[in-house]
Amino acid sequence: MWRVRRELAVFKILGALVCAGLAVYWWFEGDFWGVILAVPAAVLVGAMGLRDVLVPVRLAADPSGITVVHGFAGKRHVPWESIWDIKVDVRRRWGLRSEMLEIDTGDNLHIFSAHDLGASPTEVAAALRRRGT
């Protein structure tokens, strides 16, 4: 079972509260453009934090298959037979390395970052391959 780290969810919620506070402050200061920037940021970051609190487990494996988060907070069970491919996409840009776990089920491509999993996508992919065979 792989989940979002609790610290990351708390950080997102605190970020949303800071953005909301800035929106209120700029409202009373009469800074229209500040409010225009802060309100959508508060809503977006707050929704991301809420998702992390409501559905912290992004990926789980059991003998019958995997369960993935689908949509905002829904879950979908995928049997091992329906999984076409499990791979890790590694990219390097501006001196940074990023990994994304890709699970291809034919109809859907489920993509998870290291932040979603709370672990390295390479390690998760290896564990899923061992479990699925």
Side-chain angles (χ1 to χ4, degrees):
M1 179 166 35
W2 295 276
R3 64 177 53 236
V4 175
R5 290 184 13 217
R6 223 175 258 146
E7 300 86 16
L8 187 59
V10 169
F11 183 70
K12 289 177 185 178
I13 291 169
L14 289 175
L17 291 174
V18 167
C19 289
L22 284 172
V24 170
Y25 172 76
W26 285 329
W27 175 267
F28 287 114
E29 289 292 314
D31 184 358
F32 177 71
W33 293 109
V35 174
I36 295 260
L37 291 173
V39 169
V43 171
L44 179 64
V45 175
M48 290 168 43
L50 180 64
R51 180 181 189 218
D52 290 349
V53 169
L54 293 176
V55 189
V57 176
R58 296 289 199 257
L59 176 64
D62 59 31
S64 65
I66 62 171
T67 303
V68 296
V69 171
H70 187 74
F72 183 76
K75 293 183 180 181
R76 175 176 288 170
H77 183 76
V78 180
W80 290 114
E81 301 82 39
S82 298
I83 297 174
W84 289 12
D85 192 20
I86 298 172
K87 68 179 183 176
V88 178
D89 181 34
V90 179
R91 304 215 178 202
R92 287 179 172 76
R93 188 170 189 182
W94 296 328
L96 299 174
R97 181 177 186 267
S98 67
E99 295 180 342
M100 301 293 278
L101 174 66
E102 298 179 356
I103 301 174
D104 187 0
T105 61
D107 295 336
N108 292 302
L109 180 63
H110 303 281
I111 301 174
F112 302 96
S113 69
H115 298 294
D116 287 329
L117 300 169
S120 167
T122 302
E123 294 171 6
V124 175
L128 289 174
R129 287 185 194 114
R130 281 192 306 270
R131 190 104 191 230
T133 55

